[in-house]
Structure formats: structure tokens, C-alpha cells
Amino acid sequence: MNKPIVAVVGRPNVGKSTFFNKITGKKISIVKDKPGVTRDRIYCDAEWCGKSFTMIDTGGIELKSQDEMWMHIKKQAEIAIETSDVILFMCDVKGGLTASDIEVASMLRKSNKPIVLAVNKLDNYDATLLYDYYELGLGEPIGISCEQGKGLGDLLDEICSHFDSDAGVVEDNSVKIAIVGKPNAGKSSLANRLLGFDRTIVSNIAGTTRDAIDTEFTHNGQNYTLIDTAGIRKKKSVYDDVEYYSVVRALGAIRRADVCLVVVDSTEGLTEQDVKILGYVHEQGKPSVVVMNKWDAVEKDTFTIETFKKKLDSDLAFMDYYKSIFVSAKTGLRAEKILALALESLENSRKRISTGTLNELIGDAVRTTEPPTKHGRRLKIYYTVQDGVEPPTFVMFVNNQELMHFSYKRFIENTLRNALDFSGTPIRLFIREKSEEDK
């Protein structure tokens, strides 16, 4: 069975993200003494006394606000409530019981789901400070201090008491896909298009997505975890510390992903920042697909795609293995092909080549183009083995590393790529010395 889902909800700035990070043991949600920092639903697995569950952090709920961003946050919280098995409603004892708390409690009761009431920031326990919260009609309030870790065990016991006794754990065998790129390139729109529903907030306001947001889904029998990330700006353009941590999480999402979709705004073309993001993906050894988004908004003629591809070839010469696709997240143009391309790149990054085939290919290359010489000595290649995957990693044993010129190493890499399909993934080639006596 699937893990139970616990939605953490409440008005802004009551400590939901602090609680989320404390229980999951990871600094996933951005914590800042400022309302509106958490905007989308953020998922993470947690465990308490042998019981595993998935926790959802949500943005603060402002029911009466007509501000566009607060209305988006409210919608995301409502989806979290609808998909959850247990609701944790958090209040703030320092702010006291507010009209907003009463309004949110009234909304939660309509869900007909188990609700656990927590009153946070009770650093020095005083039961009399909890009396007002009985007015919410949600049962006994549990006083906690997320900062100091007080009362969290009792709270988790109460939450877990509402789980089905046979709730099991599902092994995570999903393909993790990170959607990365500059702000406002259409990453969240693409995520929603691939998922088929509005998982993340979509707005023309750059910087709407702040956290790396995981969503699990299944397509054609394959399980995926889609990671929508914050836009990655140039370092000199990041002034706000919340945005800084958003960028750090986006880079972290690249590192933990199996494959990356790098989204580029086609109306702007490939920019210096896009190339830097792709360079980071390349350095991390991740397979990828360059998704040229907003293709519907580009004025086209017969040669438009070829012109764009020449630009990509030029700017991405360091990763000439790239796969690209021209799409529109808004209209759905070619969006159905993206997952197939991502899987191809991932499969190529997991490809293993037998030692026999490998050495036969390199032997043919050496006979075609002799290894270089230096100071009267010629490079000798003894044999090559594959040392790993993701990315495919090869170790070549030679008589002297200094004799391996970078151009000849590049020639060997190109030989492997021309003979074997490593499109969409970097490969690594390491040179090791081995004396002729040890050969």
C-alpha cells in the first residue's frame, strides 16, 4: 500500500516549514521569518516509530486575501488537503488565536478527514495558553516548540494513530527528472503539462517557484518523480537570501536527479546563463534533454529550426552529445515526446559495453590513426575497461599518461560515441599508467 500522506496547514508564519524540516531531518523547505516564503506543496518522506509516511508542507492560507500570489498558495494548500489522509493544523501561541485560524479550521472541518491540532512556539509549556484553542472544535490542542523540539513525539504519536494499521511502504523505483533553467523559462508550466494538472504555481512573475518540488506520477507503466525547481539566476543577480537558498536547492535537485530537462526560453534563444546551467549539468555527469520552450511564440520560416540548432551546436560544443526538442508547454506542442527523450538519455547513461567490444573499437581506431609521440616516445594503449555507469566511465591503461594529448583523447571519445549510442549523456575517460611488464 501507499504511504499515508500528512498535510501540514495553517496561516502564514506559524512554523510549518520549521516543523517539516525537523521531522523529515532535511532542510528541504526554506525557513524565513517572513510570510509567503513557502508557495507550492513540498513533499518528503518521514518515519516515526517504524511508521513511514509522506509529509506535505504548504504555504500559509489567507482565505480573504485577493492578492494573486496568496490565491495561488491557497489553491495549492487545498489540493494538499484533498490528497492527504491526515491533516496537521498548526497555530502559533505567540500570535494567539486569530480570526484567520478560526476561518481555516472551519474550512478543514469540511474535509471530513482526521485533523490534529498543534500549537507551536510554546517554548515554556503552560497548559493555560492552550485553552483558547478548544474553541476551534478540533479536539485537544497539542503544545509544541519546533525550534526546541518539545512535544514533537506526542504530536507524531497522535498523527500516526490515524493511519491504517496495514499502511505499507512502497519502494521508490521511480525515474527522477529535474526540470531546471532560468527564471520564467516555463519550467512549472512544463511540469504541469507533463503531469496533466496544475501541480505548481504558474505565473508571469519571475521567481514564483521557490523550492524544489517533487511529484510522483506514472506514465506508460513507468514511475517518475518530477522535480520542479526555482529559476537559476546569475550569482550577481541574486540579492534576496530566500532566492539564494532556492538556487542552492535547484542545484541540489540536479545532483540527485537521474536525468535533467533544461528548459530554455526560445523567444530569448540560448543565453550565457542557459549555457552555464547546462555546463553544471554536464559537470555533474547527468544525462539531459535541452527543452526549447515557448516555440509557439517564435516567428518561423523554413530555416528557423536549423538556425536554432546551429546556435545550439556552436554554444554547446562542450556537450555535443546533447538531445534537444522544440516544444510549447502552453499549447502542448511535442510535449508528449519529452519523457521518451529523457528515458533514452537515461538508458544511454546506464549502458554497459563489454571489454571485448570496447577494445576492438579502440584497436580499430588506433590502427586508423596512430597514437601521438613526444620526445621520441610513442603512446601505447594496452587495454580499456568500463568502470561504471551514470555516466558511462572508462579507464584506459597506457604506457605513459603524459604522452596522451588531449586531442587524441578527444578522438578516442568520439570513436566511442560514433560506434555506440551515448546521445544525451556525458561519458568519462580516465587515463592510467601501466608498465609493459605489468601488462
Side-chain angles (χ1 to χ4, degrees), residues 351-398:
K351 186 174 292 182
R352 286 193 177 275
I353 311 302
S354 71
T355 301
T357 300
L358 200 55
N359 285 281
E360 186 178 338
L361 284 171
I362 293 175
D364 289 343
V366 168
R367 283 187 287 274
T368 302
T369 304
E370 282 192 343
T373 60
K374 185 177 181 181
H375 303 307
R377 296 188 65 193
R378 184 175 297 280
L379 174 72
K380 290 184 180 180
I381 298 174
Y382 296 137
Y383 61 91
T384 306
V385 296
Q386 183 168 0
D387 190 49
V389 294
E390 296 187 77
T393 303
F394 305 95
V395 180
M396 178 176 286
F397 291 90
V398 301

Side-chain angles (χ1 to χ4, degrees), residues 62-119:
E62 288 281 12
L63 292 177
K64 291 186 176 180
S65 176
Q66 296 302 307
D67 178 82
E68 179 186 358
M69 187 57 67
W70 286 113
M71 291 176 70
H72 278 310
I73 291 172
K74 175 192 170 189
K75 180 180 178 183
Q76 293 297 315
E78 288 173 343
I79 295 172
I81 292 166
E82 183 180 338
T83 58
S84 67
D85 298 297
V86 180
I87 300 168
L88 172 59
F89 178 39
M90 189 170 289
C91 300
D92 170 11
V93 75
K94 291 184 178 178
L97 184 64
T98 67
S100 293
D101 289 327
I102 295 172
E103 290 165 0
V104 174
S106 178
M107 179 189 78
L108 295 179
R109 278 195 295 270
K110 296 175 183 176
S111 70
N112 294 319
K113 293 185 177 181
I115 301 170
V116 177
L117 174 60
V119 182

Side-chain angles (χ1 to χ4, degrees), residues 77-209:
E78 288 173 343
I79 295 172
I81 292 166
E82 183 180 338
T83 58
S84 67
D85 298 297
V86 180
I87 300 168
L88 172 59
F89 178 39
M90 189 170 289
C91 300
D92 170 11
V93 75
K94 291 184 178 178
L97 184 64
T98 67
S100 293
D101 289 327
I102 295 172
E103 290 165 0
V104 174
S106 178
M107 179 189 78
L108 295 179
R109 278 195 295 270
K110 296 175 183 176
S111 70
N112 294 319
K113 293 185 177 181
I115 301 170
V116 177
L117 174 60
V119 182
N120 191 25
K121 304 183 183 180
L122 195 66
D123 298 339
N124 298 308
Y125 189 82
D126 182 352
T128 61
L129 297 176
L130 301 176
Y131 292 164
D132 289 346
Y133 294 91
Y134 284 95
E135 182 182 335
L136 297 174
L138 298 176
E140 182 177 352
I142 300 174
I144 63 172
S145 170
C146 292
E147 284 286 352
Q148 298 182 13
K150 293 180 178 178
L152 299 185
D154 292 339
L155 179 59
L156 290 169
D157 285 341
E158 179 62 23
I159 290 171
C160 292
S161 70
H162 296 282
F163 297 162
D164 291 337
S165 58
D166 58 348
V169 176
V170 176
E171 184 180 352
D172 183 10
N173 60 350
S174 64
V175 173
K176 296 175 180 60
I177 302 178
I179 303 179
V180 297
K182 294 190 311 180
N184 217 27
K187 299 181 296 299
S188 293
S189 296
L190 181 63
N192 291 340
R193 171 64 64 177
L194 294 176
L195 293 167
F197 62 92
D198 289 344
R199 169 63 184 83
T200 56
I201 297 172
V202 176
S203 169
N204 289 327
I205 305 169
T208 302
T209 301

Side-chain angles (χ1 to χ4, degrees), residues 340-354:
L341 278 179
L343 277 183
E344 285 177 15
S345 296
L346 179 58
E347 287 168 4
N348 288 341
S349 78
R350 293 174 171 174
K351 186 174 292 182
R352 286 193 177 275
I353 311 302
S354 71

